[in-house]
Amino acid sequence: MSVSPIGRETARVDGPLKVTGRAPYAADYHPDGLVHGHLVLATVGRGTLRAMDVTRAEAAPGVIAVYTPFQPVRLINTFQGFGAENYVPLQDTTVRFRGQIIGLVVAGTFEQARDAAALITADYAGTPPRTSLADAGPGRSQDIVQVLAPGVASIDDVLRAGPVTITTTVTQPAQHHVAMEPHATTATWEDDQLTVYSGAQMPQRSAPAIAAGLGIDPAKVRLICRYTGGGFGGRSPAWNEAKLCAAAARALGRPLKVVLSREQVFTTVGHRPAVRQTVRLAAQADGRLLALAHDSDAEYPAAGGWPLIPAQHTSGVLYRTPNLRLDQRLVTLDTPSTWAMRAPGEAPGSFALETALDELAARTGVDPVELRLRNYATQHPVEGRPFSSKHLDQCYRLGATRFGWDRRPARPRSRTDGDWLIGMGMSTAAYPTDREAATVRVRFHDNGRVSVASGTSDLGTGAWTVLAVAGADTLGLPVEVIVPELGDSALPPGGVGAVGSAVTANTMPAVRAAGRAAIGTLLRAAVENPRSPFHGLDPADVSYRQGRLHSGRRSMGFDELLRAIGTPALDAIGATDPAQDSPYAFHSFGAHFCEVRVHRLTAEIRVNRFTSVFDVGTVINARTARSQFIGGIIWGIGHALLEADPIEPDGRYAAATMADYLVPVNADIPDIDVHWLGYPDPHISESGARGLGELGTVASAAAVGNAVYNATGIRVHDLPITLDKLL
Ligand code: MOS
């Protein structure tokens, strides 16, 4: 019996290609006749373009074409309601935000296009943009959720009455995905058939979205995204740059590549909205909650984007409380399009909630872990459904033990190590597992390989390897003989998208279904094909085990059978479509513990230690799972201490370069101790696996902030926590 690879450490199957530079990313395709495009972006925050002077650009070396609103290439606005970018570039002269696309220069080389683009001047009639969330009043409610105990007329009465009341308002400016790979698109037409190479979390949604922008049949567009240097939400839609590239390639009759500069990435392909949140709590003196209210006002651009609702999966999930209200509001600003970013609601929402809980712990004198156990929810606080599998209490206890929580100074600013103040903080993570339909094709080949194909993509998270592990487990074969295929809109339709930490949990059962169906196809061929040694046998008398067919004493490998019957490959499709109306609520959970040191003179902040324990159901690949958890925690450390892009009154981002927009580097990150419990979720699917990708990001920032408070006695409510706020 071969050992199942499930849960073991499996090295990335795409690792060798990546470290040797042979994995092609979107800008690594060089079709014959390729030309290069460079975007021109608006330099005012709001207004109208009166004129653009392109004469010098058109005369510059190598320039082939210049497109502007005054000499456009046509694109169709397919905006279909709320929650997406609501304009397409070059179709009108309106400037909606600073950094909007107002031109595309095409030339023989990237450098020629970039240099010519710099020669274009634009004349604007400007009006002051609305950019300040701080100056804006409450936005319009997007989603109000309210649960009231019998006899309670208004949650405000409970929130006022106490006995203990907490009001915590936290703010954070815009943050950016800053994926390692800048967005890029290579578009090539063959007659009326378009192939687009572009980063896409959902190739099978991006391809038709590009087709719609061009006004062509979706069947004519194939999108390929084999390798991507990070998505984090920023590659979930097809952005205007991809549509514009495809449209210009069509107009020119030549393959075209558009690669964004690092600065252009900051304004054209989404960011996490600035948000202000207030959490109000009423509790008994022993810390038990009587009411929880979470209000938020998030930036929502006039140009459209993704609406941030931070409370739904944090304050709406984590704690038992008789009264609950979530009011998630949006404020219209003239800023670049917002988009979902890595635990999009949960990361900001959990910072607000878990900071407020820490304040309640400090006020009541109840230990923060004990406080969370006293308010432990065994069913979804809003929906009333039990959780499918929840062992968060063990995460708290095991995490506290591994971390040494009992050594936490109960009184802030009471432990020192030389000139350093030492503090410890903790927080709770939760992330929903959406159950989505998935389709997978399993194909036996006569060379002994088996391909496992899904229309999803791998953003660097490990989906290539999960397909290989899942295929190997289902078919009883070594991981090495499985050939995963993904990142192509032409693969079997219905593949789940690489969003919402959903790929592994949703693809696993589809691989099983496809594997079983493919074995069925193989067995049928074995008894039906006259050239098969099993021909004529009762199908019930032939079995498949570990890549071989058996009947009595006869046995042969699937590849031998395929060669014997002269068939290069046999396959089957497996599809799963989990019922959405489950009696259970599906969430993954975790507990974070952080120790920081803060210099007593300079207020330099360093994270000393980080321990997290997660409850995510079955882990499929220990190596890539750990990597996701660690990566998420690093995001949280960046969220707490570094990441911020304040916007200036003219609509310009103050930190729209990698020199100014700070993210953690190795020197900022200590050893991170990650552990998981490993209880299979009996209700999610037969694989027992829930999503885990984004979970580490949730609330890790709050653990850092709570540790900083414990070290210094100072509570910083405006992220990021920089040393000036501690002096
Ligand atoms: Mo993710 S923010 O669900 O791409």
Side-chain angles (χ1 to χ4, degrees), residues 149-441:
V152 172
S154 161
I155 194 169
D156 295 310
D157 299 339
V158 187
L159 288 166
R160 266 192 300 270
V164 181
T165 60
I166 297 285
T167 299
T168 303
T169 297
V170 300
T171 63
Q172 62 184 62
Q175 299 175 337
H176 300 279
H177 306 79
V178 287
M180 257 200 289
E181 180 197 9
H183 286 55
T185 301
T186 305
T188 171
W189 292 81
E190 274 169 57
D191 302 321
D192 62 348
Q193 176 72 41
L194 170 65
T195 304
V196 178
Y197 302 92
S198 192
Q201 293 176 232
M202 298 185 274
Q204 294 177 332
R205 289 212 200 150
S206 289
I210 291 168
L214 299 168
I216 63 174
D217 177 357
K220 300 288 187 191
V221 179
R222 180 176 178 192
L223 188 141
I224 294 175
C225 166
R226 299 276 187 224
Y227 302 97
T228 304
F232 317 124
R235 286 187 162 94
S236 49
W239 292 99
N240 276 322
E241 134 266 340
K243 296 175 189 168
L244 192 55
C245 178
R250 178 170 62 178
L252 291 164
R254 300 183 68 164
L256 176 64
K257 180 185 297 186
V258 174
V259 180
L260 301 194
S261 71
R262 181 51 76 179
E263 290 80 358
Q264 290 173 341
V265 170
F266 281 82
T267 64
T268 57
V269 290
H271 64 277
R272 175 181 279 163
V275 60
R276 174 178 64 238
Q277 305 177 72
T278 298
V279 172
R280 289 190 295 157
L281 306 174
Q284 312 268 27
D286 65 0
R288 272 180 297 147
L289 289 173
L290 296 169
L292 189 170
H294 188 156
D295 302 345
S296 59
D297 291 292
E299 163 198 2
Y300 189 78
W306 181 85
L308 175 64
I309 47 171
Q312 182 184 5
H313 295 304
T314 52
S315 292
V317 167
L318 269 172
Y319 301 111
R320 188 183 60 225
T321 176
N323 300 287
L324 176 75
R325 188 180 65 204
L326 316 175
D327 184 2
Q328 307 178 88
R329 302 178 294 249
L330 301 178
V331 176
T332 303
L333 296 177
D334 301 306
T335 49
S337 281
T338 49
W339 208 256
M341 181 171 123
R342 199 73 170 157
E346 298 77 8
S350 61
F351 179 76
L353 175 67
E354 293 297 292
T355 300
L357 261 281
D358 205 59
E359 294 187 21
L360 179 61
R363 181 81 64 78
T364 54
V366 178
D367 176 87
V369 172
E370 174 60 25
L371 178 71
R372 285 160 175 85
L373 289 168
R374 283 185 193 172
N375 290 292
Y376 197 76
T378 52
Q379 59 176 35
H380 193 290
V382 176
E383 299 168 2
R385 294 185 288 177
F387 292 108
S388 58
S389 172
K390 179 177 178 182
H391 305 277
L392 174 60
D393 49 346
Q394 291 184 40
C395 295
Y396 291 132
R397 294 191 174 105
L398 185 57
T401 303
R402 290 176 76 91
F403 179 78
W405 182 249
D406 57 347
R407 297 198 303 272
R408 170 180 178 267
R411 199 160 46 82
R413 207 181 178 97
S414 61
R415 169 154 315 156
T416 55
D417 177 11
D419 281 333
W420 295 90
L421 308 168
I422 307 294
M424 301 183 191
M426 58 81 57
S427 64
T428 313
Y431 192 84
T433 293
D434 293 333
R435 300 183 334 139
E436 292 176 35
T439 305
V440 166
R441 184 186 63 215

Side-chain angles (χ1 to χ4, degrees), residues 427-475:
S427 64
T428 313
Y431 192 84
T433 293
D434 293 333
R435 300 183 334 139
E436 292 176 35
T439 305
V440 166
R441 184 186 63 215
V442 166
R443 180 176 282 167
F444 289 102
H445 297 271
D446 66 359
N447 64 0
R449 301 291 193 135
V450 183
S451 49
V452 177
S454 159
T456 188
S457 52
D458 185 334
L459 318 173
T461 44
W464 284 108
T465 314
V466 160
L467 284 183
V469 166
D473 175 61
T474 301
L475 302 172

Side-chain angles (χ1 to χ4, degrees), residues 40 49-55 67-70 102-103 120-123:
V40 182
L49 274 164
R50 277 200 288 243
M52 292 174 70
D53 183 354
V54 299
T55 48
Y67 300 104
T68 70
F70 305 98
I102 58 166
I120 293 176
T121 57
D123 179 26

